[in-house]
Amino acid sequence: MAAHKNKGLKSAYAVAFTCMVAFMGIGLVDPILKTIAVKLNATPAQTTLLFTSYMLVTGIIMLFTGFIATRIGAKKTISVGLIIIVIFSALAGRSQTITQLIALRAGWGLGNALFLSTALSAIIAVMSDESEKAIILYEASMGVGMAIGPLVGGVLGSLSWRFPFYGVAILMTIAAIAITLMLEPIAKAKKKARFFDGARALKNHKLRSVGIIALLYNFGFFTILAYAPFLLVGLTAMQVGLVFFGWGALLAMASVFVAPFLERVTNTLVALLVGLGLFLICLIVIGINADQPVLVAAGVIVAGFFQGLVNTLLTTVAMENDAIERSVASSAYSFIRFTGGAIAPFVAGKIAEHWSAHWTFYFAALMILICFIFVIKNRRYFETLEEADKELTTANKKMVR
């Protein structure tokens, strides 16, 4: 029994390490966004499309990863995704125009979708009955990857904007080897997912509601990730990397330690509303001080802490759904989540072009406010079973009276 558990942990850590590298790829371009814009003669709005193409393809393909994974198995799906990432990240480093780079980031997103959506359900599967710990491990790997990515991007980007892309290709090759050697075979699902099961899963009201909340939240998340670097005027690629390293470090710390603690001492609903409310304030502060690089940097770093809270809490609730196969639920939830991440950078760039960077962050804050209201409206999905029973009992007593 202990040996089986140790194998499961070894496999979970192998997938988590690979997740960390994958998430490094998201934040890796932050320190070099301004350099890419200059070198490839692109506007900030065009440059933010590096996130949009990547996230949009990731989100759409995620709808169908459950179909693929239940046929060829989780390990093969993860491995194919990693190989695709290696190929497209290496090619991205050779781009000659912004259009080429945007298109290659889209191809990168294809591999990312196959990997990330399957990785979450794989970690949960190998850790068997410890789903909450598995989700925390997944979110922790995301936070660490988000923290290290900009740092690596800053170091390599100081030499050439192309080097971070080559760096991802090398790291993903190492990750692919780790998966091959360390990830134990995961039993295929007893029931194969049909091609449109991911889309059909969105009929589930809980999954759809939590997904919409994640979509709205990601407007704030990716506005910071994709547009804040353009406000850090006067900072070198390395300095921008350090800012986002601080952001990712706090995100990881809150995901692993603070979110579970806050959830225990209060409840999921209260913890989530606290995280969203304080993140909203951070966005407003950044918006007000959009022309003050030092204050923007401080706002970005602090925001990471509250984003870490929200990430873990939302993912935990989304995956606690007995009505849907876990791999399908992961695919459907990730589709909505990443769609928000795809739209936000493009919208942020366009708002800044037509009005100002101040309004970019005010709009992101508005999306978080709507998200906050939507959580309250759907609060039954964020309560524990005991709280839900208590609420139902109270309601029944009122009906009897």
Side-chain angles (χ1 to χ4, degrees), residues 102-115:
I102 291 168
L104 289 167
R105 281 282 284 181
W108 188 337
L110 169 62
N112 205 49
L114 291 172
F115 166 68

Side-chain angles (χ1 to χ4, degrees), residues 11 15 109 152 361:
S11 294
V15 179
V152 173
F361 284 88

Side-chain angles (χ1 to χ4, degrees), residues 303-314:
F305 183 84
F306 306 120
Q307 288 174 275
L309 291 179
V310 177
N311 285 351
T312 295
L313 296 171
L314 280 181

Side-chain angles (χ1 to χ4, degrees), residues 65-83:
T65 52
F67 170 81
I68 298 168
T70 55
R71 277 163 175 75
I72 68 172
K75 185 171 181 176
K76 286 183 180 177
T77 305
I78 288 172
S79 299
V80 170
L82 291 173
I83 292 167

Side-chain angles (χ1 to χ4, degrees), residues 29-327:
V29 298
D30 276 311
I32 56 175
L33 283 177
K34 292 185 290 184
T35 306
I36 289 173
V38 172
K39 296 291 186 182
L40 299 182
N41 298 314
T43 65
Q46 288 175 317
T47 310
T48 58
L49 289 175
L50 294 177
F51 285 95
T52 297
S53 64
Y54 175 78
M55 302 299 288
L56 185 61
V57 172
T58 296
I60 292 172
I61 298 300
M62 275 183 168
L63 268 182
F64 310 105
T65 52
F67 170 81
I68 298 168
T70 55
R71 277 163 175 75
I72 68 172
K75 185 171 181 176
K76 286 183 180 177
T77 305
I78 288 172
S79 299
V80 170
L82 291 173
I83 292 167
I84 292 172
I85 293 172
V86 169
I87 293 169
F88 279 94
S89 57
L91 290 174
R94 296 180 59 81
S95 300
Q96 300 301 315
T97 66
I98 191 66
T99 304
Q100 286 179 4
L101 188 53
I102 291 168
L104 289 167
R105 281 282 284 181
W108 188 337
L110 169 62
N112 205 49
L114 291 172
F115 166 68
L116 282 181
S117 181
T118 311
L120 175 55
S121 56
I123 292 177
I124 294 173
V126 297
M127 292 187 71
S128 56
D129 297 328
E130 299 179 296
S131 61
E132 189 174 339
K133 288 183 180 178
I135 289 169
I136 291 171
L137 179 61
Y138 176 82
E139 293 294 337
S141 67
M142 182 184 82
V144 174
M146 289 285 200
I148 298 175
L151 199 60
V152 173
V155 172
L156 297 178
S158 299
L159 303 172
S160 168
W161 69 265
R162 299 179 187 276
F163 285 0
F165 295 105
Y166 297 143
V168 168
I170 293 169
L171 287 171
M172 276 303 191
T173 301
I174 295 170
I177 295 169
I179 287 294
T180 302
L181 297 177
M182 297 177 66
L183 178 60
E184 296 294 320
I186 298 170
K188 293 181 184 178
K190 294 178 181 177
K191 182 181 177 183
K192 288 183 172 64
R194 290 173 294 178
F195 190 72
F196 288 108
D197 273 2
R200 290 190 187 97
L202 297 177
K203 292 180 180 178
N204 181 280
H205 191 270
K206 177 182 177 180
L207 183 64
R208 186 172 68 249
S209 298
V210 178
I212 291 171
I213 289 166
L215 184 150
L216 292 166
Y217 160 68
N218 269 354
F219 265 87
F221 189 103
F222 282 96
T223 295
I224 281 188
L225 197 61
Y227 201 80
F230 290 103
L231 304 184
L232 300 176
V233 180
L235 274 67
T236 64
M238 187 64 213
Q239 289 170 330
V240 174
L242 287 170
V243 168
F244 279 92
F245 171 75
W247 168 82
L250 288 184
L251 187 146
M253 183 177 73
S255 294
V256 179
F257 302 110
V258 183
F261 171 77
L262 195 58
E263 192 176 21
R264 281 197 303 272
V265 299
T266 57
N267 58 49
T268 305
L269 178 64
V270 171
L272 183 59
L273 291 176
V274 167
L276 286 171
L278 293 171
F279 180 42
L280 171 64
I281 293 171
C282 288
L283 288 169
I284 293 172
V285 169
I286 293 172
I288 293 170
N289 300 285
D291 52 358
Q292 302 291 326
V294 174
L295 294 178
V296 170
V300 166
I301 293 170
V302 173
F305 183 84
F306 306 120
Q307 288 174 275
L309 291 179
V310 177
N311 285 351
T312 295
L313 296 171
L314 280 181
T315 304
T316 302
V317 173
M319 296 304 290
E320 289 174 348
N321 198 323
D322 296 331
I324 304 170
E325 171 69 36
R326 192 164 274 147
S327 62

